[in-house]
Amino acid sequence: WKRLSQGLTRTASNLTTGITDLFTKKKLDAATLEDLEDILIRADLGVQTAENISAVVGKGRYEKDIDPEEVRALIAGEIEKTLAPVAVPLVFDSAHKPFVLLMVGVNGSGKTTTIGKVASKLRAEGKKVVLAAADTFRAAAIEQLKVWADRTGAAIVAREQGSDAAGVAFDAYAKAKAEGADVLIVDTAGRLQNRTELMAELEKVVRVLKKQEPAAPHAVVLVLDATVGQNALVQVEAFKRVAGVTGLVMTKLDGTARGGILVAIAAKHGLPVHLVGVGEGIDDLQPFAARDFARAIVG
Ligand code: GDP
């Protein structure tokens, strides 16, 4: 919570300053509400959410005094209402052995780090984990995943850079199955610049997994970097189409995050938000809590 609220400080202080300027010693009218919408849109909350909030704030309060504290509480309440339905934990259903988790997202979003953190949590629960280094495009990605495998005591299947991603996924599934692993986590490449290639590669990875287990992947989790703001929305749309995303993780909420975009994504897509990353350390991954997040955004 502390890291989250620190990370969202800038968003919160911009909102607070805007709201304080707007509502101090002033009666509420249509112009104030329009200004409020602008402030909320600048905080990346999205047009729909901004309109909803401004309607809630305006209801029954026209031409009345309203203090900034009350406005902030109303905003936090509305944000929480939007986020609560999407705060859904990532469940590794033990009916699937292995449970196959496909991790997708653009390079640099924190995908490999998140895989390491998830593997660490699963290992702590005594689960047997296999990692598949199917981001074969970058040598560094393969090396980094090996480091996480060492740190967490997960097994890993990796080939040299440039080899076939689907081949790695195939071998990794076979190994996980043969060894009775509980969870297989598949890392993938995230070159959004070349969508056709990315799509073909991801499709092939999914195809070979399905050949071995028709219900796989059991979860497709998109990792989003909280510092990219509006671009996260573009990434959700692209990966939903390409990979059939079933849930989200938002990383880097400890830095100079622009977490408001998560509200816009929740309002528009309703995808489950499973976890949030609040640091580079192995334990810096937390379940997504709607109320904490709403409070951190409003400050
Ligand atoms: P990938 O290219 O998507 O696999 O991204 P990486 O896992 O390599 O992460 C990119 C950078 O972001 C690395 O320097 C990570 O340490 C850092 N990172 C990942 N998650 C977080 C987070 O929650 N908070 C912070 N501050 N940094 C993170």
Side-chain angles (χ1 to χ4, degrees), residues 148-220:
W148 280 111
D150 278 347
R151 277 181 80 180
T152 58
I156 182 165
V157 172
R159 290 188 193 161
E160 68 277 16
Q161 181 188 6
S163 47
D164 180 35
V168 175
F170 188 91
D171 288 354
Y173 186 90
K175 182 184 169 74
K177 189 79 192 168
E179 294 180 0
D182 299 291
V183 179
L184 168 65
I185 309 178
V186 184
D187 192 10
T188 60
R191 288 159 288 140
L192 210 50
Q193 311 84 289
N194 190 336
R195 281 200 203 171
T196 337
E197 218 175 277
L198 175 74
M199 196 173 343
E201 185 168 299
L202 281 173
E203 268 171 7
K204 201 168 155 201
V205 167
V206 169
R207 210 177 330 125
V208 302
L209 288 169
K210 282 202 187 304
K211 227 181 246 171
Q212 293 155 299
E213 153 64 14
H218 306 105
V220 181

Side-chain angles (χ1 to χ4, degrees), residues 3 104-115 117 135 138 140-141 144 148 187-188 190 223 225 227 250-256 276-281 284-285:
R3 296 244 185 119
V104 301
V106 302
N107 295 338
S109 61
K111 204 171 355 121
T112 313
T113 310
T114 303
I115 291 174
K117 292 170 176 174
D135 179 356
R138 295 176 305 155
Q144 208 191 333
W148 280 111
D187 192 10
T188 60
V223 178
D225 176 341
T227 62
M250 184 160 263
T251 63
K252 307 189 197 179
L253 277 163
D254 53 306
T256 46
V276 291
V278 290
E280 296 184 89
D284 297 329
L285 187 69

